[in-house]
Amino acid sequence: MRHLLSIEDLSGEEMQDLLRLAKSFETVQQRPVPKVPALRGKTVVLAFFEDSTRTRTSFDLAARRLSADLVNFSASSSSLKKGESLRDTIETINAMGIDGLVIRHGSSGVPKQITQWTDAAVINAGDGWHQHPTQALLDAYTIQNRLGTLENKSIVLCGDIKHSRVARSDVQAFNKLGASVSLVAPRTLLPVSLEGWPVRVEPSLDQAIENADVLYMLRIQHERMGQSLLPSVREYRRGYGLTAERAGRLGPACIIMHPGPMNRGVEIDAAVLEDERVAVLDQVTAGVSVRMAVLFASIGPGSFDVSQELPT
Ligand code: CP
């Protein structure tokens, strides 16, 4: 693997290879010194043009735990502010000699465009409504850890599907790994066309959750809505929120997931977040191992003995 731009670029088997690699990197993180020399001598740049807590921090930790040299490029204090173009910015960073470029941008397609301007491997850390492939991989990893497999599992995605790159990536990943995926959302928060989406649309959350193995709640993305697409947040919660009453009707082994950041009390009630079926922080933890696997697969030497420790 060189670039990782979209889940579309990966087969189910390639995803499983990455998840196996992530599992071996999970063992590294349980050591007293959670670090291996796998990317020693490689340089990774994190270029986030849109806000992030989870993705940015976990890519940062992943690169450090693989012993890569790391540069955190800050768009808000860069020469972009003086009018430099994105292309000139990327070509400038590239000219310094880098191996990996992790990019988040508010516009769909920017990571792909950037592959034309750099020799580095480009990893998409979220672009507009389009894709968030490492989120989908860490979600699959979390489900596999809890349920053993995604094959024949019933996964329900609920909420703002229309503006969600997570939904687009997860639907493709879960489908390729053998799950059956359903969507539930107000009509205004579904894409205009679902042509080519391997999903079923459920008429209500109450019906959708009856046999769910995984209930994946999505954030309402007010920042991506040009106009108000909801009558009110209270009404949204009544129809599409995971209330304590609804959580009580989920199966005992059903996993409750959310990519974060979360609108507490809207997508999921605060009391439900105490439930042991909630896997939100497991998702965050998985993010580091999965991103170590993705960085290693993109810019690593091809093989590495994970039992290798850092020489002291
Ligand atoms: N899930 C996710 O991408 O979160 P951040 O925006 O905090 O990175």
Side-chain angles (χ1 to χ4, degrees):
M1 191 178 85
R2 181 156 170 72
H3 306 302
L4 177 58
L5 303 176
S6 166
I7 288 294
E8 263 173 69
D9 304 337
L10 296 173
S11 66
E13 218 165 284
E14 287 166 328
M15 271 189 273
Q16 287 294 5
D17 286 344
L18 283 168
L19 300 187
R20 268 190 292 275
L21 189 55
K23 196 77 191 162
S24 62
F25 283 130
E26 191 184 289
T27 63
V28 169
Q29 302 203 70
Q30 288 151 2
R31 294 182 194 161
V33 180
K35 206 163 171 168
V36 284
L39 293 185
R40 182 173 271 177
K42 302 284 185 184
T43 301
V44 174
V45 175
L46 306 186
F48 278 57
F49 297 87
E50 196 190 75
D51 296 342
S52 167
T53 297
R54 281 146 280 267
T55 312
R56 183 177 196 133
T57 310
S58 57
F59 264 117
D60 185 313
L61 283 172
R64 290 177 202 274
R65 288 178 182 174
L66 293 169
S67 305
D69 292 323
L70 180 72
V71 178
N72 261 292
F73 168 80
S74 166
S76 62
S77 58
S78 74
S79 290
L80 282 161
K81 291 281 171 198
K82 300 177 196 162
E84 188 163 56
S85 69
L86 180 62
R87 178 178 180 158
D88 285 337
T89 301
I90 297 299
E91 288 181 346
T92 299
I93 294 171
N94 185 62
M96 296 180 202
I98 63 168
D99 300 287
L101 183 58
V102 178
I103 175 136
R104 168 168 290 192
H105 201 282
S107 299
S108 301
V110 167
K112 185 169 185 185
Q113 178 62 57
I114 278 176
T115 61
Q116 306 300 307
W117 304 331
T118 177
D119 309 316
V122 176
I123 297 167
N124 182 358
D127 62 329
W129 303 5
H130 176 227
Q131 277 281 318
H132 194 351
T134 58
Q135 178 73 44
L137 288 167
L138 73 87
D139 288 337
Y141 186 89
T142 303
I143 297 171
Q144 220 160 261
N145 258 1
R146 286 237 184 171
L147 300 181
T149 179
L150 278 81
E151 261 175 59
N152 302 316
K153 299 298 181 198
S154 166
I155 303 182
V156 177
L157 273 73
C158 173
D160 186 356
I161 312 284
K162 179 175 179 158
H163 303 101
S164 177
R165 57 194 175 209
V166 174
R168 286 173 178 77
S169 308
D170 274 357
V171 164
Q172 289 174 354
F174 297 166
N175 176 260
K176 286 182 182 187
L177 293 171
S180 138
V181 186
S182 312
L183 306 179
V184 57
R187 184 61 247 175
T188 50
L189 295 184
L190 280 172
V192 176
S193 165
L194 285 170
E195 203 183 322
W197 289 54
V199 294
R200 203 176 52 242
V201 178
E202 294 285 352
S204 73
L205 181 55
D206 292 317
Q207 245 169 283
I209 61 177
E210 273 173 18
N211 296 306
D213 296 301
V214 177
L215 176 58
Y216 197 111
M217 307 304 288
L218 291 162
R219 182 172 69 88
I220 304 178
Q221 304 199 31
H222 291 290
E223 75 278 16
R224 297 195 204 280
M225 292 183 195
Q227 56 193 354
S228 179
L229 298 175
L230 295 171
S232 73
V233 167
R234 188 194 289 193
E235 206 149 311
Y236 176 84
R237 176 183 167 275
R238 196 177 308 136
Y240 299 96
L242 184 56
T243 59
E245 190 276 319
R246 282 196 178 107
R249 285 190 275 121
L250 290 172
C254 180
I255 314 174
I256 299 165
M257 299 174 75
H258 191 297
M262 183 188 310
N263 297 301
R264 258 177 194 256
V266 179
E267 294 114 25
I268 305 181
D269 278 8
V272 176
L273 291 167
E274 307 303 320
D275 194 307
E276 61 185 20
R277 293 170 295 178
V278 173
V280 173
L281 292 179
D282 290 8
Q283 291 169 263
V284 175
T285 305
V288 181
S289 307
V290 164
R291 287 170 176 133
M292 285 172 84
V294 166
L295 285 173
F296 183 78
S298 297
I299 62 172
S303 69
F304 176 73
D305 176 7
V306 83
S307 66
Q308 206 179 332
E309 307 240 356
L310 272 185
T312 49

